[in-house]
Amino acid sequence: MKRGTKLRAMFKPTDLFDLSQTEHAALFDGCEFAWEALTRLKDYLKASLRPALRNRCEGTAYIGQDVFIGEGTVVEDGAMIKGPAIIGVNCQIRHNAYLREDVIIGDNCVVGNACELKNVLMFNHCQVPHFNYVGDSLLGHKAHLGAGVKISNIKLDHTHVAVEIDGQPVDTGLRKFGALLADGSEIGCNTVLNPGSIIGRGAIIYPNVNWRGILPANMIAKNKGTVEVVVRRLKAV
């Protein structure tokens, strides 16, 4: 199989995600490329959302009218869930989390303090726990973001986001497209994922990396920056 064919295969929903780990696998029906599901989130929620609040609140949170929250989920003080949104069972929506429009969160997920989500699907057991921005992205089963990870979803020149195959850009047709994080991927603290990033199953990105493009499954991206250690010269008191 040629390298370009292998990379193109990475873009299929089933190459990135275990679709049994979401109740919303229908989003991917007929999708050649996984990112196509991003364009369907709004209509999917409009068609399937049945508002109900079965959660428990700790303190005072704002929850909009077009929101479903499953049993066992805890919504902490200061959270804002605008909706439309579907949130599964046994999740933690922590203090000051901000869930904007068109968000689907699976079961046993974490959305932490000061995290912001917009047009996002999180598979089961996914964690976005500390000071994260996630826009126009799909996060797989057991995907995890370290503290301060930012997923950038729009290019500075506002043109369509492209992905590269063998050095050639392929237009996704999307002006807003953050990242596809496959099952079990780990993104280290303070990493920035640029628009159109695709991270394969079990791949790891070390802290403080500015990442762009495709990271195949089970690969590690490291920051090559060196740290200089010098003698501390104490001042006389």
Side-chain angles (χ1 to χ4, degrees), residues 32 63 75 88 97 129 135 163-164 179 221 224 236:
E32 180 181 5
I63 302 175
V75 180
V163 298
E164 282 194 3
K224 293 183 178 180

Side-chain angles (χ1 to χ4, degrees), residues 205-226:
I205 297 183
Y206 275 20
N208 297 310
V209 171
N210 182 1
W211 179 261
R212 182 184 305 278
I214 301 165
L215 183 63
N218 300 312
M219 301 298 285
I220 298 175
K222 299 182 180 182
N223 191 334
K224 293 183 178 180
T226 58

